[in-house]
Amino acid sequence: MQSAELLMRICAAPDSDFGSVFTDLTEARWGELVELATDKRAAPLLDRSIQHAKSAHLVPTECSAMIADQLRLHTMSAFGHLIALTQAVEFLKAHDITPIALKGARLAFADYPEGRLRPLRDLDLLVPAEIAEHTQQLMIDSGVYEVASWADHYGIEFGHQLPELLDTHRGISFEIHHRLNARGWPQEPQLVQRMHDEAETITLSGVPIRVPSMHANFLHLVEHATLHHMFENGPLILADLHFAAKTGKVDWPALIAEANALGLERSLQLVAALALKYGATWVPAALAETCGNMADHIDVAEEAILRDEDDAEHHKFLRNLSMRKGRQSGWRAAIRAALTPNPLRLAGMLQVQGNNPIRWLAYPAWLVQRGAAYLAARRVKTITKSTMREVATLNWLKQG
């Protein structure tokens, strides 16, 4: 079994016994597996599978050391994120603001068996749109948080979140969300409202933390992996759905009906079909029965889910360009995109408000950046063909 396939199976069915597969791995294959798992933030899951199969003695010394390093890293990271989250929530509560910690917080601290099994990159806090900028400014004024050096300058008019904040004490980034990760998804406001209406509370270190309900979080995970990221957020989505489902808190007939109402019917079917291919046990019969006749779309998801970050950026650029212009990417589409920049992006480059006329001074630099990104993506000859298939899958998903 190839390393990529094995990692996909570990993520899709993390409670399965892979002992017989581990026995057949060569030292070189072990190296490939550990490196890939490390890159995809799945080393803790790999270690859990090794321990479950009682196969630790099979792991080469160097690989065992790499896994141990990753376990220490993710253990400390989980603790750091927990402290950062609780302190941010307590700070905002003192100002009568009660955010909802999105996606990973519920998964790591409530759904997964251990927090370190679900590494977090940043912490997303959802607040009502009318107080989002006020919330952001309160955090900045506290002196504990600052706008990250890599972030642009914009307000709620630009997208679903405000510029990233950095916890200067712990190096952990926060994103203040006023919407979800939407890209032309008409039903997004409905799920945002459900996030607020159905929020549940978990307690971390004695601090009540509001998180999405099981169904709202599950649907957000599905949308985030498909419509927003086209599976480029990695194979942890398969483990996320496994552990969420295994809590027993999913009412499948209701969830399937909710997905249909939110235009996520095909998105749910596709993630379920991909999970089933790699041995998932959580997919109910009623959903599995709807997962046929999508082999081409599964191929697209498989190609994207283990893609490295550089290639993902190239694919994302051409995919967004194609979707924006309503046609496949080419020189004419690139020229039109270059001549019609988003004014808010220009404003962000100069750190001014979106309606400030001075923003247009950034136009030459934006033009150079956009052209360089396009040429870099086009140099990888396989990307254009892959982009066409990804756009076709996105269009198919949006018809659901």
Side-chain angles (χ1 to χ4, degrees):
M1 185 182 297
Q2 296 296 315
S3 300
E5 180 183 350
L6 178 53
L7 184 63
M8 291 282 283
R9 290 189 176 278
I10 288 171
C11 289
D15 293 327
S16 297
D17 188 337
F18 294 97
S20 61
V21 182
F22 291 143
T23 300
D24 293 336
L25 293 183
T26 63
E27 184 170 347
R29 192 58 54 80
W30 271 112
E32 292 173 2
L33 177 61
V34 173
E35 184 176 350
L36 183 60
T38 297
D39 183 58
K40 297 304 176 183
R41 299 183 296 150
L45 281 177
L46 172 58
D47 178 71
R48 182 175 183 268
S49 290
I50 291 170
Q51 302 306 323
H52 178 66
K54 296 180 172 58
S55 298
H57 63 286
L58 299 173
V59 185
T61 302
E62 185 176 346
C63 292
S64 181
M66 291 175 63
I67 293 173
D69 285 343
Q70 286 297 304
L71 290 178
R72 283 191 292 270
L73 170 66
H74 290 302
T75 298
M76 290 187 293
S77 177
F79 181 70
H81 278 83
L82 185 151
I83 297 301
L85 175 61
T86 55
Q87 292 194 352
V89 168
E90 285 191 307
F91 168 76
L92 292 175
K93 182 179 179 181
H95 294 273
D96 297 321
I97 297 171
T98 53
I100 299 170
L102 296 176
K103 295 195 309 294
R106 176 184 178 121
L107 291 166
F109 301 122
D111 297 338
Y112 273 68
E114 299 178 65
R116 70 179 182 179
L117 293 176
R118 196 357 176 119
L120 300 172
R121 286 190 174 121
D122 48 31
L123 293 166
D124 301 338
L125 301 180
L126 176 68
V127 298
E130 59 269 21
I131 64 169
E133 291 181 315
H134 173 62
T135 301
Q136 178 102 336
Q137 195 59 50
L138 281 173
M139 294 182 72
I140 294 171
D141 291 344
S142 74
V144 176
Y145 311 93
E146 64 182 16
V147 177
S149 60
W150 60 84
D152 286 333
H153 181 82
Y154 51 85
I156 63 170
E157 71 280 359
F158 182 70
H160 61 280
Q161 67 180 66
L162 293 172
E164 296 93 328
L165 296 176
L166 189 66
D167 181 333
T168 57
H169 293 175
R170 297 168 192 83
I172 292 172
S173 60
F174 283 81
E175 294 178 357
I176 302 301
H177 286 242
H178 52 93
R179 294 172 50 194
L180 303 178
N181 295 344
R183 291 181 177 175
W185 175 33
Q187 295 89 348
E188 181 230 4
Q190 298 174 37
L191 187 54
V192 173
Q193 190 61 50
R194 286 191 60 180
M195 289 281 184
H196 290 291
D197 293 344
E198 302 174 6
E200 300 173 358
T201 300
I202 61 175
T203 301
L204 302 178
S205 297
V207 178
I209 307 291
R210 294 176 76 216
V211 296
S213 67
M214 172 58 73
H215 281 203
N217 210 42
F218 202 101
L219 293 166
H220 188 196
L221 290 168
V222 168
E223 182 275 332
H224 191 252
T226 56
L227 300 184
H228 188 75
H229 278 297
M230 184 44 62
F231 291 94
E232 288 175 340
N233 54 334
L236 278 183
I237 177 60
L238 301 178
D240 290 348
L241 299 180
H242 168 89
F243 286 116
K246 288 301 180 180
T247 63
K249 298 178 181 179
V250 178
D251 179 339
W252 287 109
L255 184 90
I256 292 170
E258 291 161 4
N260 294 351
L262 289 171
L264 297 176
E265 177 180 10
R266 290 182 174 178
S267 291
L268 179 60
Q269 290 169 355
L270 182 54
V271 295
L274 182 64
L276 283 171
K277 179 174 180 178
Y278 288 97
T281 58
W282 60 265
V283 183
L287 179 56
E289 291 170 358
T290 67
C291 292
N293 302 320
M294 56 179 69
D296 289 345
H297 301 303
I298 292 175
D299 288 345
V300 169
E302 286 177 320
E303 182 181 338
I305 203 165
L306 294 175
R307 187 173 287 153
D308 66 45
E309 290 188 9
D310 287 341
D311 280 351
E313 283 299 314
H314 295 324
H315 279 266
K316 178 181 176 181
F317 178 84
L318 289 181
R319 188 167 62 241
N320 289 347
L321 185 61
S322 295
M323 296 297 289
R324 180 181 172 187
K325 294 302 176 184
R327 53 173 291 172
Q328 298 306 326
S329 54
W331 285 108
R332 291 182 180 178
I335 291 172
R336 281 201 302 273
L339 295 176
T340 55
N342 188 320
L344 295 173
R345 177 62 66 187
L346 298 181
M349 293 174 67
L350 287 182
Q351 303 283 291
V352 298
Q353 293 296 324
N355 60 356
N356 192 326
I358 199 175
R359 67 185 185 272
W360 290 103
L361 294 177
Y363 176 80
W366 183 91
L367 185 62
V368 171
Q369 288 181 5
R370 179 54 66 103
Y374 179 78
L375 291 174
R378 292 287 298 208
R379 286 192 191 103
V380 184
K381 297 183 182 299
T382 59
I383 285 184
T384 303
K385 183 177 180 180
S386 295
T387 300
M388 293 172 65
R389 297 175 67 223
E390 290 165 13
V391 169
T393 291
L394 275 173
N395 285 330
W396 174 80
L397 288 170
K398 289 182 177 182
Q399 294 169 10

